[in-house]
Amino acid sequence: MIPQKTDVAIIGGGPVGLYLAGRLLQSGISCVVLEKKSTIDIHSKSLGIHPVSLELFDEAGITPSFLEEGLKIERGIAFWNREKIGEISFKVCPEPHQYILAIPQWKTEQILEDWVTTHNKSALFREAEVQSIRQTDSEVIINGIFQGEPFELTTKFAVGCDGKNSFVRQSFNIPFDGGPYPDYYIMGDFDDNTEFGKDAAVYLHKDGLVESFPLPNGHRRWVVKTDKLFNSPILDLLHVYVKNRIKHRLYEQNNYMTSSFGVQQFLARSLHSKRILLAGDAAHVVSPIGGQGMNLGWVGAERCCEAIISTLDDLSSQERSFAAYTKQHRKVAKKTARRAEMNMNLGRKQTSGSHYKFAVSLMLKPPLARLMANLFTMRGLDKWPV
C-alpha cells in the first residue's frame, strides 16, 4: 500500500521522475513515485542520451547499465540534398563521454526503475492516479486512487514530473508560456539497411530534413520533415519521403514503430510554488529535433534534488533554495530551447539556399566544428551564451 507519510512525493514515473527518485533515495531521503500507467510504454520515443546526462549517471553509479544496452554515436555525417558536405566528430568533445548514447526510451525507463527499486522496492506505485493536491505551510496532502482504492499521502514536498499537460502545474495555476511551431515530422524505426554503421546522417534537403540515427540491435531511426501533420498512412508516407528525397528504399525492411508529431516550446513561469516543484516536461517542453528534451529534464531533476536536500538540511532555506532552482534552471531551459530551434531551423525549406550551404560547410570545418560538436552534445549550458 502507498504509505501515509514520506519526505517527497514524485507525481509521474517517467525517465525524469524515476531519476529524481533514485537520486533522493541515494541521499537517504524517503520518497514515493506515483505513476498513473500500469506498465512502461514499449515505444522507442526519445533515444539520445547526451554527455551531460551520462556525467550525472556517473555520479549516480548507473552509467554501466546504460552502456551495456546502448550504442555509441561518435560521428554525424551531413549531406546537402544527397551531396556529402562534411561531418562532425564527437571525439573532439571533453572526455570521458565523447559520443551520444542511443537507447530506446523504454529501456532507459526499465534501467531507472530497476535502480529505484534496488534502493527501495516499495518506492514506485503504478496505477496510482492523483486526483487532488493541496499544501499548507508545513506539508502537502495528496489524494487519489491506487489500483481502484482511495489513498491519502502526506509529504513534506511534492514534485510534478507528470508531463506537458501536468496536473500538478495546473493545480497551482502556474502559467506555461509558449506555443507550437509550424513544423511537423514523421519518424519510424526499421532494420538498418544503410552503410552508415554507428554513424548518424543528416540530409539538409530542399524539400525538407531527413535524419537517420543508428539504434541498438541493428535498427535505425528515420525522421522526415513534412508540410503538415499526418495521422495516416504514416508508414507509406515515410517510405515515399525517404525514397523521393534521398533515393533510399525502406520498403523491404521490418518496421518497429512509426509516429507523427508537431513541435512545441513551453516554459513554466515558475518551477516552484511553496512546497511544490516542477521538473521534466511539466516544467519545460523544447523541440525534439536534436534530442535534448529528456536530457534537459535530467539536468533539472539533479538541480531539483539539490534544492530539496538543501531545504531538508535547513528548513529556513526553502524559499531561497527553490527560487534559485527556478531562476537557474529556467536559464538553462531557455538556452536549450534556442539550440533546439537552431537544429530545427537548419532543416526548413527556406534554409536550402546556396548561402546556407556555405554557412553549414563552414560549421563542419575547424575551428567551428569543435564548437558545433559541443553544442550538439549539450555542452556548456551553464557557461555559453548560445
Side-chain angles (χ1 to χ4, degrees):
M1 296 295 296
I2 295 175
Q4 294 182 331
K5 291 183 178 293
T6 190
D7 287 334
V8 181
I10 299 169
I11 295 90
V16 174
L18 290 170
Y19 174 78
L20 176 58
R23 291 298 273 161
L24 290 170
L25 290 168
Q26 278 188 324
S27 301
I29 297 170
S30 67
C31 70
V32 298
V33 180
L34 305 174
E35 169 54 47
K36 185 162 58 174
K37 293 180 180 179
S38 60
T39 60
I40 292 173
D41 184 9
I42 305 300
H43 189 299
S44 51
K45 296 182 184 176
S46 297
L47 60 85
I49 301 181
H50 288 266
V52 290
S53 298
L54 291 166
E55 290 172 358
L56 296 178
F57 293 175
D58 288 343
E59 294 180 23
I62 56 176
T63 305
S65 297
F66 287 92
L67 295 180
E68 184 177 339
E69 298 288 348
L71 180 148
K72 295 179 181 179
I73 302 175
E74 298 177 338
R75 185 174 66 159
I77 304 172
F79 295 84
W80 195 264
N81 293 321
R82 296 175 60 204
E83 173 193 354
K84 180 179 176 180
I85 58 172
E87 59 186 53
I88 286 183
S89 171
F90 302 133
K91 299 294 282 184
V92 301
C93 296
E95 294 181 341
H97 303 296
Q98 299 170 304
Y99 52 86
I100 296 172
L101 191 70
I103 178 172
Q105 183 175 322
W106 72 268
K107 179 59 72 173
T108 291
E109 292 186 27
Q110 186 62 66
I111 293 171
L112 291 172
E113 180 175 325
D114 291 345
W115 173 50
V116 167
T117 55
T118 295
H119 285 286
N120 182 352
K121 63 182 180 180
S122 299
L124 173 62
F125 294 89
R126 293 193 174 275
E127 297 181 70
E129 181 176 358
V130 174
Q131 296 182 319
S132 71
I133 179 169
R134 57 189 174 87
Q135 59 181 328
T136 68
D137 290 339
S138 59
E139 61 188 13
V140 178
I141 302 96
I142 300 170
N143 290 92
I145 300 293
F146 171 56
Q147 296 181 352
E149 297 294 330
F151 74 87
E152 180 171 288
L153 171 64
T154 301
T155 179
K156 295 176 182 176
F157 305 104
V159 186
C161 298
D162 51 339
K164 69 178 183 179
N165 298 317
S166 171
F167 175 79
V168 176
R169 188 188 64 245
Q170 294 176 24
S171 295
F172 294 94
N173 299 311
I174 299 175
F176 205 38
D177 300 322
Y181 288 102
D183 296 271
Y184 306 96
Y185 300 85
I186 295 174
M187 71 177 182
D189 295 346
F190 297 83
D191 285 337
D192 189 358
N193 65 338
T194 73
E195 297 180 354
F196 291 125
K198 295 182 179 181
D199 293 336
V202 177
Y203 294 82
L204 304 176
H205 196 276
K206 62 181 178 63
D207 294 327
L209 177 76
V210 177
E211 293 183 327
S212 178
F213 303 103
L215 289 169
N217 302 316
H219 298 169
R220 181 167 284 268
R221 170 164 296 178
W222 292 87
V223 182
V224 299
K225 194 174 189 315
T226 60
D227 292 328
K228 63 180 182 179
L229 183 65
F230 290 99
N231 293 316
S232 64
I234 297 172
L235 180 58
D236 292 340
L237 286 169
L238 189 54
H239 286 156
V240 170
Y241 279 125
V242 173
K243 177 68 164 56
N244 289 348
R245 291 182 189 176
I246 66 170
K247 309 305 179 187
H248 186 81
R249 292 178 60 90
L250 293 173
Y251 296 96
E252 297 84 6
Q253 306 310 307
N254 292 322
N255 171 251
Y256 301 96
M257 177 280 296
T258 54
S259 68
S260 60
F261 58 94
V263 179
Q264 301 172 321
Q265 178 184 317
F266 288 96
L267 178 59
R269 203 169 296 176
S270 176
L271 306 188
H272 77 290
S273 174
K274 296 182 180 179
R275 292 177 170 269
I276 304 296
L277 300 106
L278 302 175
D281 285 354
H284 39 62
V285 174
V286 301
S287 167
I289 303 303
Q292 300 181 93
M294 182 170 62
N295 294 270
L296 175 63
W298 286 325
V299 171
E302 185 71 19
R303 301 291 86 82
C304 180
C305 180
E306 292 171 357
I308 291 171
I309 291 171
S310 176
T311 299
L312 288 173
D313 288 341
D314 177 11
L315 291 176
S316 67
S317 72
Q318 176 187 322
E319 180 55 33
R320 182 172 68 254
S321 296
F322 289 3
Y325 165 61
T326 282
K327 181 179 179 180
Q328 294 167 6
H329 191 59
R330 271 176 50 87
K331 287 182 179 179
V332 171
K334 288 178 181 179
K335 289 181 180 179
T336 303
R338 287 196 291 270
R339 293 187 186 187
E341 187 170 355
M342 177 190 73
N343 293 337
M344 189 167 57
N345 187 59
L346 286 171
R348 290 172 173 158
K349 287 183 179 181
Q350 57 265 39
T351 59
S352 61
S354 58
H355 58 295
Y356 278 101
K357 178 182 179 182
F358 177 72
V360 173
S361 298
L362 283 181
M363 293 178 189
L364 301 175
K365 294 180 174 63
L368 289 180
R370 179 184 293 271
L371 171 63
M372 297 307 297
N374 280 288
L375 287 175
F376 288 139
T377 54
M378 298 183 69
R379 294 289 188 179
L381 283 170
D382 57 344
K383 297 177 182 178
W384 297 350
V386 177

